Amino acid sequence: MASLTAAACLLLALEEEAAAQAITAYADAEGWGPDTARLGSVGSAGTWSLERIESLAEEAARAFYIKLQELGWTEGVAAAAAARADASDSTLLAFHLDLVRSYPTQLILAINHVLFERHGYRRQRRHGDPLDSRLSNVLENGNGSPGSLAVLYLELCGRMGLALEPVALEGGRYFVLMPADNAASLSVAGERFVIDPYSEGLLMSEAEICELFEVGEGGLQPCSFATMLAGILTVLRDSHWCAAVGCPPEPLLMVPVSVEVALGEYRDVEVSTSSGEDEAGVPTFRVSFSESPTEAEVPTGRQWWPAEGYHLQRALAAAQKRAWLLPDDLHALLDYALCLYFSKQYEDAWQELGCVLQAAKGEPLEAATFGEREVEQMELLWEKMRLQLAFAGS
């Protein structure tokens, strides 16, 4: 399953890359300047074919067996190392897996050494860069978001025979990894530990993680790989959204994709976007905030996104894929409807929001996804869109 997750992440990256290259070519043709190159980062053939990940796994395997030899293991180690790559000898392969399950900490140390010390993979330098959520860019340049680094770590461990499961934190914006079964234990004195790939593979106790991320009763629970991909798409959507509306990309400071924003009730902020031309005929992309004294209208020739709202469209694409992955998650469906609304696709937004409202009203009261006030706001926005459509058709 881990390989499928990596392949899916590369497919997401491929679409992002294709869109970036297309808009870069268009921007160059329009004379918007060289800064549009920041949108894309073409990877090598080894990156797109997963050969780079396989090479990292081979390197980690060698480091793992060196660590075992340092502990005194010599007999059968070389043969077991060869069996990891060639599964034809089931006895030797079973021996390799037994070593992995018996010494998971040594395996984690080996992977950490290869990834973070030898190759310099590291956490993103700043919030809000869409490139950090593309697995291809992470493999090429080393900077990664919590989700993309977790996928890379998960992939290496899976190829080494250590099955892990992701645990989603902060609404899928952060991930730690835990053993998928009891065959490999990361417990000491009865206390279980998890791996934090974003902190260079640091082992942290479940109690520490629960306190740090305010996880309540029930403790840490593994999530599906679909949920993991949806979390990566959430971060990607946020990055593009913040770039589109010009707000800070930090989670606590960003203007959220919410019904309140659509209705102009969030911090007295009304966000609207439009494109056009100024008096000199220069293409512009306009972002309006009611709390600002004037509208911000910036010539796109000095920006790295074009007048058509490239980032807004990429935010919409990410929200749409997230809705496909989580068809029963009303929050994901609402986010998609709102991104359609902000993209001024009012008819599609009206239909999607109507489906969300219908599902929300059909839920039992004790299991309701939204509160009464939230439903009222959605109904108000739905009616606002209906009037916009009626006005446009008149």
Side-chain angles (χ1 to χ4, degrees):
M1 184 63 73
S3 293
L4 290 177
T5 305
C9 286
L10 285 179
L11 284 175
L12 293 176
L14 184 61
E15 182 186 341
E16 284 285 307
E17 183 59 41
Q21 293 302 315
I23 205 62
T24 297
Y26 180 67
D28 289 344
E30 294 294 320
W32 287 340
D35 287 345
T36 50
R38 292 177 56 197
L39 291 171
S41 177
V42 178
S44 64
T47 291
W48 295 109
S49 65
L50 295 178
E51 290 179 7
R52 185 181 293 270
I53 292 180
E54 180 60 38
S55 176
L56 289 170
E58 291 290 342
E59 198 173 339
R62 291 192 295 270
F64 173 55
Y65 281 102
I66 288 173
K67 289 186 176 296
L68 290 184
Q69 288 173 337
E70 292 173 351
L71 291 176
W73 275 94
T74 55
E75 184 178 354
V77 166
R84 192 203 69 80
D86 182 7
S88 58
D89 191 324
S90 59
T91 301
L92 285 176
L93 181 60
F95 179 52
H96 164 78
L97 294 177
D98 284 343
L99 288 176
V100 169
R101 294 179 182 125
S102 299
Y103 298 95
T105 304
Q106 298 303 314
L107 177 62
I108 292 168
L109 290 174
I111 291 176
N112 291 348
H113 173 70
V114 170
L115 274 184
F116 306 113
E117 295 180 28
R118 190 175 297 175
H119 288 276
Y121 286 92
R122 55 199 175 275
R123 63 173 62 197
Q124 59 194 14
R125 294 177 178 174
R126 59 186 178 85
H127 285 288
D129 192 343
L131 292 176
D132 292 336
S133 294
R134 298 186 201 171
L135 184 58
S136 59
N137 186 76
V138 176
L139 288 169
E140 291 286 336
N141 299 323
N143 295 321
S145 66
S148 57
L149 287 177
V151 168
L152 178 57
Y153 207 101
L154 191 70
E155 183 71 19
L156 293 183
C157 286
R159 288 171 182 254
M160 294 286 291
L162 178 61
L164 299 175
E165 292 178 313
V167 177
L169 301 166
E170 294 184 346
R173 291 177 172 83
Y174 201 97
F175 291 92
V176 294
L177 306 175
M178 61 174 18
D181 51 53
N182 294 324
S185 174
L186 290 178
S187 298
V188 176
E191 188 170 19
R192 296 197 303 174
F193 286 76
V194 297
I195 307 168
D196 183 1
Y198 198 59
S199 297
E200 299 187 356
L202 181 68
L203 285 173
M204 299 184 68
S205 71
E206 286 196 29
E208 289 176 310
I209 292 292
C210 288
E211 181 178 358
L212 183 62
F213 291 93
E214 299 181 351
V215 177
E217 186 178 354
L220 303 182
Q221 299 295 327
C223 67
S224 67
F225 290 98
T227 300
M228 189 177 197
L229 287 174
I232 293 172
L233 285 166
T234 298
V235 174
L236 187 61
R237 181 210 64 188
D238 288 349
S239 298
H240 283 302
W241 163 255
C242 291
V245 302
C247 66
E250 287 75 14
L252 296 178
L253 299 177
M254 64 175 283
V255 175
V257 179
S258 68
V259 176
E260 285 183 317
V261 172
L263 293 173
E265 297 178 357
Y266 175 79
R267 296 182 186 171
D268 296 325
V269 172
E270 180 182 354
V271 180
S272 64
T273 60
S274 61
S275 59
E277 294 183 351
D278 62 14
E279 295 179 357
V282 177
T284 61
F285 180 78
R286 177 177 298 172
V287 183
S288 303
F289 291 86
S290 64
E291 67 176 2
S292 302
T294 59
E295 290 185 338
E297 183 174 317
V298 186
T300 57
R302 296 195 297 271
Q303 299 298 314
W304 59 285
W305 36 264
E308 287 76 9
Y310 163 83
H311 284 296
L312 201 57
Q313 292 305 312
R314 297 319 303 161
L316 173 59
Q320 184 180 43
K321 293 181 183 65
R322 184 166 174 264
W324 289 343
L325 280 170
L326 306 175
D328 299 322
D329 188 328
L330 293 187
H331 285 292
L333 300 180
L334 175 60
D335 286 347
Y336 176 44
L338 289 170
C339 285
L340 284 168
Y341 174 79
F342 290 123
S343 299
K344 300 188 185 300
Q345 300 182 38
Y346 296 128
E347 184 170 355
D348 290 339
W350 181 71
Q351 292 178 353
E352 292 293 334
L353 184 57
C355 292
V356 174
L357 274 170
Q358 183 178 12
K361 292 179 178 179
E363 290 182 320
L365 186 61
E366 62 275 9
T369 303
F370 304 107
E372 184 178 348
R373 169 62 177 166
E374 292 174 298
V375 173
E376 291 177 355
Q377 286 183 313
M378 285 190 286
E379 289 178 328
L380 181 59
L381 180 59
W382 186 81
E383 183 63 21
K384 176 182 176 180
M385 284 190 281
R386 187 188 69 79
L387 294 175
Q388 286 173 316
L389 289 170
F391 179 77
S394 61

